[in-house]
Amino acid sequence: MGLKSHNLSSGVQEPNCFRTLKPYELQKKPIMKLSQAKVLCITLTVLSMASDLRSARALEVQTLLNFELGPGTVTGSLVQGPDGNFYGTTAQGGPMRSGTVFRVTPAGVLTTLVSDQQNPAAGLVVGNDGLLYGMTSAGGALGGFGTVFKMSTNGALTTIAVLNGVNGENPQSGLVLARDGNFYGTSPEGGTNSIGNVFRVTPDGVVTSLVSFDSSSLGGGPSAGLALGPDGNLYGLTQFGGAVGLGTIFKITTAGTFTSLYSFQLPDGFVRQARLTPGPDGNLYGTSRDGGSSDMGTIFKISTDGIFTNLVSFRGTNGAVPLAELTVGADGQLYGTTQLGGSESSGTVFKVTTNGALTTLVSFATSVNGFQAVPRAGLLAANDGNFYGCTPGAMFKMTPGGALTFLTSFIPLNGVHPQANLVAGPDGNFYGTTRDGGSNDVGTIFRLSTSGSFTSLFSFSTTNGSAPQGGLSLGSDGNFYGTTTQGGSNFAGTVFRFSTNGTLTTLASFGGTNGASPQCQLVAGADGSFYGTAPQQGANGFGTVFRITTNGVLTALVSFNNTNGAFPDDGLMLG
């Protein structure tokens, strides 16, 4: 009957005998006159289509596990909601890499509440109605200049205003609630001169531009948020402008009366990203990322009438590069963080008196529970008397005495960004790697059952390797063998052995003549050794082919020289 198939536009296979019935034949002959063969052919076609549909359903992909991205890096201080939980924002991260609004309970339960806004500005503020108010630096129907939103503690978000590029554009920091019940903010762009402005937002979403900066006497590019001073006025910073072009400190009333208080000088530094903090003595306190005697940052104070004093110069051992605002503790001292410095150069938590006496409370370690990343956010003085803060990898609690407790990780502990294929293990499960994530955010090894039961078995720590991209290879001894692209003693990648019980042994480190940054899956040779390629370094700088024995002897067999090839990115295949 000629059952050779042809493709229909729907993608269903059509037997060739269908073609024997031409359109003009249908016009000439009634359907009842069709031959028995043609009727049988049509019947077979329907049955074939039904069979194909059943096969398609049988081959449908079933998702066993979704690797989920973390909320991202927190750059603004947390806020405590009326429910006692902590709330914050990230400008990037989340499933769409456009930022998140998240909640963390005092017990450390993390929930991403919103992930469909475009780049939330740093920090939220609680309104008089108990709702949380914030901004986004992009989005909105008027050209993507940013929005203002309010949100309940269960994550129900309502956009109340859309910035239009004049009344605000690309806000980087959150709002402040003034005594009149309205919110006030800054944006480094927008205004009549397109270099920033100060604006007011009512709880109903009416936006009013108060001051447009001019880059000279008024300053320009305010990225830090405003602070509510003890006199009810608002205080802020600009990035540039002023007497010598290094930015200013200003005061503005809620009616829009503007006063420039101070023009930063060269010893004061260049970059100030955090809002000012009203101190217990009526002055306002701030940080500079650079400047000071060691050019590692400063803490300064300014009175409401413009008297400026540099209090602390960071010098590395006591911290370096403060990026966040300060917080007043119950003892009247100011608490804050530095991004770098301390005993392990990974940042600090400090307290400082109003006359500049600084005490380092915490020096962050580089590899413990997500603290490996340096802190960029400030602290929140919570109702329980403790301080809460964030590193890019984690949220922590700190007592006033400096006792630190890890609460939750912002890093996907299951791993994220798997780059390689799964490999069947001797136990019938599948094994694989992720390039990022894990407790140190440098990759993991995991096990997955055929039913989708997932177990994270190992987190790399840079010392033993990081960022694995090649799949695992099963050895005759029942262990897995693999490579990492980074980490190890030379920071150029490693070869490792891994057992199904979670034990990892680093067999060799790359770097130099044996190659660097292997991205490949190893292949087992007939001699029991494993073979692979490294796309970098080697004797000629063009990569290598190498052999690794199961006891860790690494040998470069070929160093590419450009004539015979260069930069091998993929692995080998056994002939």
Side-chain angles (χ1 to χ4, degrees):
M1 290 187 297
L3 293 180
K4 184 178 179 181
S5 60
H6 298 269
N7 288 326
L8 295 171
S9 60
S10 64
V12 179
Q13 298 294 314
E14 176 199 19
N16 195 31
C17 63
F18 232 100
R19 302 289 186 184
T20 63
L21 187 61
K22 308 297 182 187
Y24 65 83
E25 290 181 87
L26 287 175
Q27 294 171 6
K28 291 179 180 179
K29 302 177 182 179
I31 295 295
M32 66 186 69
K33 297 283 187 175
L34 287 175
S35 69
Q36 185 179 5
K38 290 178 180 175
V39 172
L40 177 60
C41 183
I42 293 173
T43 304
L44 287 172
T45 300
V46 174
L47 291 175
S48 175
M49 291 170 64
S51 175
D52 287 344
L53 290 173
R54 284 196 299 272
S55 298
R57 283 196 295 270
L59 293 174
E60 262 181 31
V61 174
Q62 178 185 358
T63 300
L64 296 179
L65 176 77
N66 283 316
F67 290 95
E68 296 184 1
L69 291 169
T73 299
V74 182
T75 57
S77 298
L78 299 170
V79 64
Q80 191 164 22
D83 56 357
N85 294 318
F86 305 105
Y87 295 82
T89 63
T90 64
Q92 298 175 342
M96 293 183 286
R97 292 298 184 94
S98 61
T100 66
V101 181
F102 64 88
R103 175 180 66 216
V104 181
T105 68
V109 178
L110 170 67
T111 304
T112 298
L113 298 173
V114 177
S115 58
D116 57 356
Q117 299 295 294
Q118 293 192 40
N119 312 118
L124 301 167
V125 62
V126 180
N128 291 329
D129 53 5
L131 297 175
L132 300 161
Y133 288 77
M135 292 189 289
T136 65
S137 60
L142 299 178
F145 300 116
T147 67
V148 182
F149 64 85
K150 62 181 178 181
M151 188 190 78
S152 66
T153 54
N154 64 4
L157 184 143
T158 303
T159 298
I160 62 173
V162 175
L163 302 179
N164 61 19
V166 177
N167 59 16
E169 179 179 353
N170 189 29
Q172 299 294 302
S173 295
L175 300 162
V176 65
L177 179 63
R179 294 177 184 176
D180 61 0
N182 294 314
F183 302 94
Y184 292 80
T186 65
S187 66
E189 301 172 53
T192 56
N193 300 308
S194 299
I195 52 175
N197 72 331
V198 179
F199 53 86
R200 176 175 59 231
V201 185
T202 68
D204 295 328
V206 178
V207 182
T208 304
S209 182
L210 297 178
V211 171
S212 291
F213 290 94
D214 63 1
S215 79
S216 56
S217 62
L218 299 181
S223 59
L226 299 170
L228 181 63
D231 54 2
N233 293 316
L234 303 162
Y235 293 80
L237 306 162
T238 64
Q239 297 182 75
F240 53 86
V244 295
L246 298 180
T248 65
I249 301 176
F250 64 86
K251 171 172 64 177
I252 185 171
T253 68
T254 54
T257 301
F258 184 94
T259 305
S260 185
L261 294 176
Y262 180 72
S263 289
F264 287 104
Q265 307 298 306
L266 190 61
D268 302 330
F270 294 86
V271 182
R272 286 156 291 275
Q273 298 181 212
R275 72 179 74 215
L276 299 169
T277 299
D281 57 357
N283 294 311
L284 294 113
Y285 292 79
T287 60
S288 177
R289 189 186 74 176
D290 49 10
S293 58
S294 301
D295 200 25
M296 294 183 179
T298 67
I299 300 173
F300 59 85
K301 72 176 177 182
I302 187 167
S303 66
T304 55
D305 56 359
I307 299 174
F308 181 89
T309 307
N310 268 317
L311 292 175
V312 174
S313 287
F314 288 100
R315 57 182 185 276
T317 55
N318 66 350
V321 191
L323 295 178
E325 64 189 274
L326 302 169
T327 300
V328 180
D331 57 2
Q333 297 192 63
L334 298 156
Y335 289 74
T337 63
T338 64
Q339 186 182 27
L340 299 175
S343 60
E344 298 194 34
S345 299
S346 296
T348 68
V349 181
F350 63 84
K351 65 180 179 181
V352 61
T353 64
T354 54
N355 61 5
L358 185 137
T359 304
T360 301
L361 298 173
V362 174
S363 283
F364 286 104
T366 57
S367 60
V368 180
N369 291 330
F371 288 129
Q372 81 285 353
V374 292
R376 297 178 60 187
L379 302 172
L380 165 70
N383 296 335
D384 61 2
N386 295 309
F387 295 92
Y388 291 80
C390 300
T391 70
M395 176 178 167
F396 61 86
K397 174 175 70 175
M398 188 193 75
T399 67
L404 200 69
T405 303
F406 167 77
L407 288 179
T408 188
S409 177
F410 292 146
I411 297 170
L413 296 179
N414 286 342
V416 69
H417 301 138
Q419 304 286 303
N421 56 297
L422 296 172
V423 175
D427 55 1
N429 294 309
F430 294 99
Y431 291 79
T433 62
T434 66
R435 191 182 192 281
D436 303 300
S439 58
N440 301 298
D441 202 22
V442 291
T444 68
I445 301 174
F446 63 85
R447 178 176 63 222
L448 184 71
S449 72
T450 54
S451 62
S453 176
F454 179 92
T455 305
S456 184
L457 298 172
F458 185 80
S459 289
F460 288 95
S461 65
T462 302
T463 303
N464 54 21
S466 65
Q469 289 188 194
L472 301 171
S473 296
L474 184 62
S476 58
D477 57 3
N479 293 313
F480 292 102
Y481 292 80
T483 61
T484 66
T485 62
Q486 300 171 27
S489 58
N490 302 309
F491 304 102
T494 66
V495 185
F496 61 85
R497 178 176 62 232
F498 183 76
S499 64
T500 55
N501 65 5
T503 302
L504 184 137
T505 303
T506 301
L507 296 177
S509 288
F510 287 92
T513 57
N514 61 17
S517 305
Q519 305 173 23
C520 59
Q521 185 174 23
L522 299 172
V523 62
D527 58 356
S529 296
F530 288 88
Y531 294 79
T533 62
Q536 297 179 28
Q537 295 189 29
N540 304 304
F542 293 101
T544 65
V545 178
F546 62 85
R547 175 180 63 221
I548 181 79
T549 64
T550 55
N551 61 357
V553 179
L554 178 64
T555 305
L557 301 176
V558 174
S559 285
F560 289 98
N561 60 17
N562 202 36
T563 301
N564 61 2
F567 311 124
D569 284 333
D570 209 343
L572 303 171
M573 178 177 289
L574 186 64

